Amino acid sequence: MKGLSMTIPQLSSEQLGAAREAATQARRARAELKDRVKNGELTFSKALDKALADDTLSRIKVIDLLRSIPRVGVTRATEIMENLQIAPNRRIRGLGRHQVERLNELFN
């Protein structure tokens, strides 16, 4: 593998602008989902289902979605993750079927 170098593609200003806009829209969608959980408009289980079905939303870290639940802070979210044997850096799209089931059981 020595000697192999990858060149970074040169993007036009239009392509850069489009990429920035797409990234901004993705961040807004993820923030909106967490806000809806925080405000009680959406249950954790429904938010989890919605995130699993959407590629953009599935990139939310599990701990961040847990922390959006009212009265769940850093400590409690960390305890939940440890009890369910979910890695601290795991994103929703990286959850296994059993982990999703256990999260749903915990919040139903």
Side-chain angles (χ1 to χ4, degrees):
M1 302 293 315
K2 282 187 179 177
L4 289 179
S5 63
M6 293 182 58
T7 59
I8 298 172
Q10 296 297 317
L11 300 177
S12 68
S13 59
E14 293 84 20
Q15 290 171 318
L16 282 172
R20 281 189 199 105
E21 182 60 30
T24 300
Q25 292 300 324
R27 283 191 300 275
R28 283 185 183 144
R30 291 189 287 266
E32 181 186 340
L33 181 70
K34 290 187 284 187
D35 284 343
R36 291 182 66 195
V37 172
K38 182 180 277 187
N39 297 332
E41 297 173 34
L42 205 58
T43 65
F44 176 82
S45 295
K46 288 187 180 177
L48 186 60
D49 292 341
K50 189 171 183 157
L52 287 167
D54 184 319
D55 189 47
T56 300
L57 298 177
S58 70
R59 295 177 188 203
I60 297 173
K61 286 190 175 185
V62 176
I63 198 155
D64 291 340
L65 189 57
L66 285 170
R67 288 183 57 204
S68 68
I69 301 169
R71 297 187 314 271
V72 174
V74 177
T75 305
R76 190 152 176 231
T78 303
E79 287 174 2
I80 292 168
M81 298 279 286
E82 288 173 359
N83 290 340
L84 298 180
Q85 298 176 344
I86 299 172
N89 62 344
R90 179 73 61 212
R91 295 183 188 275
I92 291 175
R93 68 179 172 177
L95 290 174
R97 180 174 48 103
H98 297 292
Q99 291 171 323
V100 171
E101 288 173 5
R102 288 189 302 238
L103 280 168
N104 280 325
E105 286 172 8
L106 188 61
F107 292 102
N108 277 339

